[in-house]
């Protein structure tokens, strides 16, 4: 990878008509994104994706298990972690299943 000099970088910036360097005056007038585009910023905050928040979230742990145990649960295909959780709940005497 070739390293560019500051002079080369400045020439490349100056030669790009679609992305001229901002002037000091423009930078002084700049606003934060959420002030310049409040509706879009709010929509982006609401649409963060992922799962809905759980009322009873799971707790991440690091646990060393026998290879055969993990293989047996994984062989049951998708949802094996939930089935393992249910088996542990049953073993702990917590009959009601929480997924």
């Amino acid at each position: 990878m070739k390293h560019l000099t500051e002079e080369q970088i400045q020439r490349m910036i100056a030669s790009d008509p679609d992305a001229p360097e901002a002037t000091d005056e423009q930078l002084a007038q700049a606003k934060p994104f959420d002030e310049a585009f409040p509706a879009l910023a709010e929509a982006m905050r609401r649409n963060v994706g992922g799962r809905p928040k759980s009322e009873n979230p799971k707790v991440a742990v690091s646990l060393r298990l026998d290879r055969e145990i993990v293989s047996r649960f994984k062989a049951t295909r998708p949802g094996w972690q939930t089935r393992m959780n249910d088996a542990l709940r049953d073993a702990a005497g917590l009959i009601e299943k929480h997924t």
Side-chain angles (χ1 to χ4, degrees):
M1 186 171 174
K2 180 179 141 182
H3 294 282
L4 301 174
T5 66
E6 181 64 26
E7 182 182 333
Q8 290 171 316
I9 293 170
Q10 292 303 322
R11 266 189 279 140
M12 291 170 68
I13 291 170
S15 70
D16 186 352
D18 294 325
E21 190 168 6
T23 65
D24 289 340
E25 183 179 319
Q26 289 170 324
L27 291 174
Q29 294 175 358
K31 296 179 184 176
F33 182 82
D34 60 340
E35 286 181 28
F37 304 98
L40 181 56
E42 180 59 29
M44 291 171 68
R45 270 193 290 281
R46 280 185 275 130
N47 187 23
V48 293
R51 293 179 169 197
K53 299 292 182 204
S54 173
E55 290 181 22
N56 187 19
K58 304 286 191 208
V59 176
V61 297
S62 177
L63 176 67
R64 299 175 70 78
L65 300 169
D66 293 337
R67 184 179 309 274
E68 299 84 12
I69 298 294
V70 176
S71 295
R72 177 68 58 96
F73 275 93
K74 281 187 171 184
T76 64
R77 309 307 289 166
W80 66 270
Q81 295 99 328
T82 299
R83 288 187 290 282
M84 184 179 278
N85 186 74
D86 291 344
L88 289 168
R89 288 185 67 78
D90 186 44
L94 303 168
I95 307 303
E96 182 185 337
K97 293 182 181 182
H98 289 97
T99 54

